[in-house]
Amino acid sequence: MISITINLFIIAFVNFQLCTCSTDNENAAMKEMTFSVPISMLQDEREFDGKKLKKLLKPLGKLYNTSSDEGIPINSTEATLSVEKMMVELNRLIQKEYSFLYKQYQKLKTVLQAEKCDSTTNVYAVTLQNTDCESKLIIEGSPATNCSDVAHHHPLSCSILSKVASADEKIIGAYCSVGLEKSFPKKKSICKLSRYPGEEKFKTFVPEEVSSWFHDAIVYVPTGNRPLSNSMHSNNYRGRQGIVGLGMLPHLGAVQMNVVTIFRKNGKTTEVLSLINANGSIEIPKVFVTNPIQKPFGDDIDHILREAFGTMKLSSSDIEDKLQKLYNATISTKVKHRATPYDTDDAYVITEVVGVLDESKEHIGSINTFPSDGKFQIGWKEADKSALRLKRFAKPPKGLFLFIMSCKDCFKMQLEEITVLRSMFREPEELTFDNVENLNKLEAFVVNETALLEDTSLESVSFSMKLKNETNCTLVLSVELPFTYPLCQPPLVVIGCSSLDCHKLDALNVQLRQYISSKFAQAPFLYDIAQWICETKVPTDDESPVGEGSDVLETSEQPNESKVFCRYWIYSHHIYNKVKRRGMLELAKQLDLTGFCLPGKPGVVCVEGDRRDCIQFWKQVRKWTWKKISLKHVEEEEDSSLFVRKFGTFEELNFATQPGSRHMDFGLLYKFMVDHGCGDMFIFCFGMQGRDSNL
């Protein structure tokens, strides 16, 4: 156990990482957690308005560079011929996810816009026409010449990004949705809109009006390769339409650009770190960061600094010491954007100003000349009036209070998470605390932060949880919550089990550490860990620990396996989109599943039937674009005579609190579930007991 002392406060304050580790993306991830825990922002968090920053940076290099290159229009006949050749591939993309809604072949109706962006890249905006031909047959090679037009209630429009090589033209990016043609620009170049700022690269064009994640896409193919989901930080700095993938999907981590403002005193002169450019003016570096805590100035500048310290004949340990002093002295200020960036396709999603003032030349100020890494050159320049205005970002925050308040936020979130866990694990042995009195001290501190200074005997919260996994093996989780969990540090969790030998137990703990390392996103995380353990297969003697991909357990069916009936309970952050709702109705009908879908926020889905069909339903639905969706509970019964369907059909419920409202009356939902003999499942979906709103 760890005891808080005044010395700990001082050490923690010097290690400034504790004060700056919570980012906008982390707060968004907190809001997307499975159970609803209120989010507390650090009360002294530094923020600066984005518009003001743009004005400050205007004479020092623009915050965001934009391209003015427009495309060359392609005549209608040539464009039609080109798109016709790509229609089979476009239909294949449509069939990949939404074959149950668009079974018929989609042919080209109209090319609305077509432009040549460069010698090998074309962009098209098109509308499609539904036909009476089966799409699968055309994709497999049947001719589409005899297909007749058929009206469709939800006709599709698409933007297509293609690569031209010799006589072939291939789709490299596409976006299709219902009614998209209304959002296509009338008087703007779609090449210009598809070009990355300041770069000779292109993105899949998604109109601004439909760029929200809440707008569903029938086809969305970003350009380039999707980054590995097991990487701790994403390299994708270009947003949802990124060259390497799906940008702000939570499991890919934050997309962040840092504005680097570093100053030093050289005699009586204040100098600022600048990019060395042709015109000799000051240009503040803007860098994309993959690890904002350990490398706040980006990989390239970090590499340059290591090379520079190396030329000073410093030892490896001295170089690391210099860098650590530099990074510990870094002050981070968030740039406040007008709109929440998580719901957009903005190229730069999170922006921070990272500043350092090295007056005594203790670390970076001791370097007079910086080597070039081949990409850009940096150096010191005398700070003019414009540059000196940025010096505010390099001044450290005031006092110990910031760390105390960050602890307060962490403690508050810990208590809220523990309350949720207590409501879910009600049996005495399921959740056991090592020191209940410690929780009372935590609560006292949340109410009055000075209590932390008056009583320094506070220990970190620790407890045990008993869980059963899919093999019915009882596992004991020993959990300790560091003071800065969940805003900075992950929980410390170890699995114990008396029925497992040490090798299997070690393998399971290795899997757990890999899972926590890859998935922890500075948000309450204990429920996710418990769910992962319940779903994870215990390694056998001849199995090695699996990687992070094992966090979702897939059930494989053998051809001769006896029929198993089950009921799936699915929870979503929200269900609004009509395409998804209609898709679930169609899919359940195809798979002969019964149950219900409750749209709104949050959304709940229940399906029951043959286990193979339930698995297929869940596999298909979770592929769609969701802010948060999880499989909450599974009921299974191998004896078909004991399994009774509780629902006669699959239907969409409407318990709106008032006409047109997206919020549902969960008291009516609870009554509905009780009437159908499944009221006890309410707690699995929401973590609390249900109550009839009529009582």
Side-chain angles (χ1 to χ4, degrees):
M1 294 295 181
I2 308 168
S3 296
I4 292 185
T5 62
I6 298 300
N7 289 334
L8 176 60
F9 282 121
I10 297 170
I11 294 170
F13 177 70
V14 172
N15 185 356
F16 192 70
Q17 293 177 6
L18 291 176
C19 299
T20 59
C21 66
S22 179
T23 67
D24 285 346
N25 184 60
E26 294 157 2
N27 291 325
M30 294 176 206
K31 294 176 183 177
E32 294 172 7
M33 56 190 294
T34 306
F35 39 86
S36 299
V37 175
I39 306 307
S40 302
M41 296 289 290
L42 296 181
Q43 295 187 16
D44 272 15
E45 196 170 57
R46 292 164 63 109
E47 283 191 337
F48 196 78
D49 184 72
K51 284 186 175 180
K52 292 181 180 178
L53 181 63
K54 286 182 180 180
K55 288 182 180 179
L56 288 176
L57 288 175
K58 195 171 183 180
L60 304 167
K62 289 183 179 179
L63 182 59
Y64 307 132
N65 294 317
T66 56
S67 172
S68 59
D69 295 339
E70 297 187 357
I72 302 171
I74 303 173
N75 69 65
S76 178
T77 304
E78 182 184 345
T80 300
L81 289 173
S82 297
V83 176
E84 288 281 8
K85 294 177 181 178
M86 295 185 283
M87 283 308 300
V88 172
E89 178 60 25
L90 188 61
N91 273 270
R92 185 179 286 111
L93 294 173
I94 295 171
Q95 290 295 302
K96 186 177 180 181
E97 300 292 347
Y98 283 87
S99 58
F100 51 88
L101 285 180
Y102 294 91
K103 297 178 182 178
Q104 274 65 47
Y105 183 74
Q106 304 290 314
K107 74 175 186 179
L108 176 65
K109 182 178 181 180
T110 311
V111 177
L112 301 174
Q113 284 178 274
E115 291 182 12
K116 183 176 287 293
C117 302
D118 62 20
S119 59
T120 61
T121 309
N122 294 343
V123 180
Y124 303 93
V126 303
T127 58
L128 306 183
Q129 172 65 54
N130 193 50
T131 71
D132 59 357
C133 292
E134 189 176 343
S135 186
K136 184 180 178 182
L137 297 176
I138 307 298
I139 292 172
E140 290 175 351
S142 298
T145 52
N146 297 324
C147 299
S148 301
D149 295 354
V150 175
H152 196 284
H153 295 299
H154 306 284
L156 294 176
S157 304
C158 303
S159 67
I160 301 172
L161 183 71
S162 68
K163 186 63 68 177
V164 182
S166 300
D168 296 326
E169 192 164 355
K170 182 181 178 183
I171 295 176
I172 58 171
Y175 183 89
C176 297
S177 190
V178 176
L180 191 62
E181 72 280 356
K182 298 174 185 176
S183 303
F184 285 135
K186 299 285 190 300
K187 298 180 180 179
K188 293 182 180 178
S189 166
I190 51 176
C191 277
K192 181 178 177 180
L193 295 171
S194 300
R195 192 185 300 272
Y196 285 120
E199 300 184 44
E200 289 302 314
K201 291 177 180 163
F202 299 90
K203 63 187 178 184
T204 302
F205 171 61
V206 181
E208 186 177 341
E209 293 83 354
V210 295
S211 63
S212 165
W213 274 116
F214 294 105
H215 184 98
D216 197 47
I218 303 299
V219 170
Y220 174 60
V221 181
T223 59
N225 298 315
R226 177 171 172 169
L228 296 175
S229 60
N230 61 0
S231 60
M232 190 170 181
H233 301 280
S234 172
N235 291 320
N236 175 24
Y237 54 81
R238 296 181 177 94
R240 171 177 164 189
Q241 306 163 39
I243 196 74
V244 290
L246 302 181
M248 279 308 299
L249 283 179
H251 69 277
L252 297 182
V255 179
Q256 184 166 331
M257 186 187 80
N258 284 356
V259 179
V260 179
T261 56
I262 299 178
F263 295 86
R264 75 168 184 177
K265 276 286 188 181
N266 191 12
K268 294 183 178 180
T269 304
T270 299
E271 295 180 329
V272 63
L273 192 70
S274 169
L275 294 178
I276 304 300
N277 50 38
N279 57 21
S281 61
I282 297 174
E283 185 175 351
I284 299 299
K286 275 82 68 175
V287 296
F288 298 106
V289 294
T290 57
N291 192 333
I293 302 300
Q294 296 178 7
K295 295 181 180 180
F297 309 131
D299 294 338
D300 294 330
I301 291 182
D302 181 86
H303 176 71
I304 290 173
L305 295 179
R306 290 178 185 276
E307 291 287 323
F309 285 133
T311 61
M312 298 167 65
K313 298 182 179 179
L314 297 175
S315 65
S316 298
S317 60
D318 288 338
I319 291 175
E320 292 300 326
D321 183 59
K322 289 271 190 185
L323 287 170
Q324 196 58 51
K325 286 181 180 178
L326 168 63
Y327 292 150
N328 285 346
T330 302
I331 312 300
S332 179
T333 304
K334 289 180 175 59
V335 177
K336 190 176 181 181
H337 296 283
R338 285 181 299 168
T340 304
Y342 302 99
D343 190 29
T344 71
D345 284 323
D346 287 351
Y348 310 113
V349 183
I350 295 174
T351 308
E352 290 190 7
V353 182
V354 287
V356 175
L357 177 58
D358 189 9
E359 292 185 298
S360 59
K361 296 186 178 181
E362 187 178 357
H363 34 76
I364 192 171
S366 62
I367 304 173
N368 292 316
T369 305
F370 297 88
S372 172
D373 73 339
K375 294 182 180 179
F376 57 82
Q377 176 74 50
I378 56 175
W380 297 108
K381 291 190 177 182
E382 184 176 347
D384 58 15
K385 288 183 179 180
S386 297
L388 288 173
R389 292 192 184 102
L390 299 177
K391 197 174 177 181
R392 69 177 79 182
F393 297 110
K395 293 180 180 179
K398 296 180 180 179
L400 183 62
F401 183 70
L402 182 60
F403 174 70
I404 294 178
M405 293 312 299
S406 66
C407 277
K408 179 178 178 178
D409 281 333
C410 289
F411 291 162
K412 186 177 180 181
M413 295 175 73
Q414 288 179 23
L415 290 171
E416 289 166 342
E417 189 173 14
I418 288 168
T419 300
V420 174
L421 290 175
R422 278 176 160 171
S423 71
M424 299 177 68
F425 301 95
R426 294 175 174 270
E427 297 300 323
E429 294 183 355
E430 286 185 332
L431 191 63
T432 308
F433 289 87
D434 297 338
N435 187 349
V436 177
E437 181 62 27
N438 204 45
L439 290 177
N440 298 331
K441 292 181 180 180
L442 230 63
E443 291 170 352
F445 170 66
V446 169
V447 174
N448 176 20
E449 55 269 8
T450 59
L452 190 60
L453 298 175
E454 296 166 0
D455 183 358
T456 60
S457 63
L458 181 66
E459 298 175 339
S460 55
V461 175
S462 60
F463 55 90
S464 300
M465 296 170 63
K466 275 192 177 181
L467 302 170
K468 283 190 177 182
N469 69 353
E470 289 211 342
T471 58
N472 215 27
C473 177
T474 301
L475 303 172
V476 179
L477 260 67
S478 298
V479 181
E480 183 175 342
L481 305 181
F483 292 127
T484 53
Y485 167 82
L487 292 181
C488 295
Q489 293 176 274
L492 306 174
V493 185
V494 178
I495 302 173
C497 182
S498 57
S499 61
L500 290 179
D501 62 48
C502 60
H503 299 294
K504 291 181 182 178
L505 200 56
D506 287 345
L508 193 59
N509 275 296
V510 167
Q511 290 184 53
L512 176 62
R513 287 194 295 272
Q514 290 174 340
Y515 174 74
I516 293 174
S517 175
S518 63
K519 301 297 182 183
F520 177 64
Q522 283 74 36
F525 195 51
L526 297 178
Y527 177 82
D528 298 86
I529 291 174
Q531 190 175 40
W532 178 86
I533 289 171
C534 291
E535 295 176 349
T536 299
K537 180 182 176 183
V538 176
T540 58
D541 293 329
D542 57 347
E543 286 179 330
S544 59
V546 295
E548 295 139 1
S550 65
D551 63 307
V552 177
L553 186 67
E554 298 290 353
T555 306
S556 60
E557 297 288 336
Q558 301 299 327
N560 58 352
E561 185 179 5
S562 59
K563 198 168 186 179
V564 177
F565 296 89
C566 72
R567 188 175 294 109
Y568 273 28
W569 294 90
I570 300 168
Y571 176 97
S572 174
H573 177 273
H574 66 268
I575 303 176
Y576 296 146
N577 192 276
K578 292 181 180 179
V579 174
K580 293 176 186 172
R581 288 155 60 183
R582 190 169 61 252
M584 283 190 278
L585 289 168
E586 290 286 339
L587 197 56
K589 183 179 179 181
Q590 283 185 17
L591 297 171
D592 192 28
L593 297 174
T594 55
F596 67 86
C597 168
L598 180 73
K601 182 180 180 181
V604 180
V605 179
C606 172
V607 288
E608 59 181 7
D610 188 282
R611 182 168 69 177
R612 286 168 293 191
D613 296 327
C614 289
I615 290 172
Q616 185 60 36
F617 180 91
W618 172 235
K619 280 184 177 180
Q620 183 68 42
V621 168
R622 73 177 181 182
K623 287 180 183 177
W624 302 341
T625 304
W626 300 96
K627 187 171 185 180
K628 178 72 178 181
I629 192 167
S630 60
L631 181 60
K632 281 289 193 174
H633 187 65
V634 176
E635 300 175 78
E636 289 190 351
E637 180 57 65
E638 294 189 13
D639 189 342
S640 59
S641 63
L642 297 178
F643 182 84
V644 179
R645 287 185 186 257
K646 297 185 177 182
F647 305 94
T649 183
F650 186 87
E651 61 179 326
E652 183 176 288
L653 306 179
N654 184 0
F655 296 138
T657 53
Q658 56 187 12
S661 173
R662 287 184 167 185
H663 296 282
M664 298 294 163
D665 187 329
F666 287 94
L668 293 178
L669 172 63
Y670 177 66
K671 183 178 183 301
F672 173 83
M673 292 171 68
V674 170
D675 291 343
H676 287 78
C678 52
D680 56 331
M681 291 296 109
F682 192 90
I683 193 169
F684 286 99
C685 294
F686 302 102
M688 63 184 73
Q689 292 289 355
R691 188 174 65 178
D692 191 336
S693 58
N694 294 324
L695 299 179

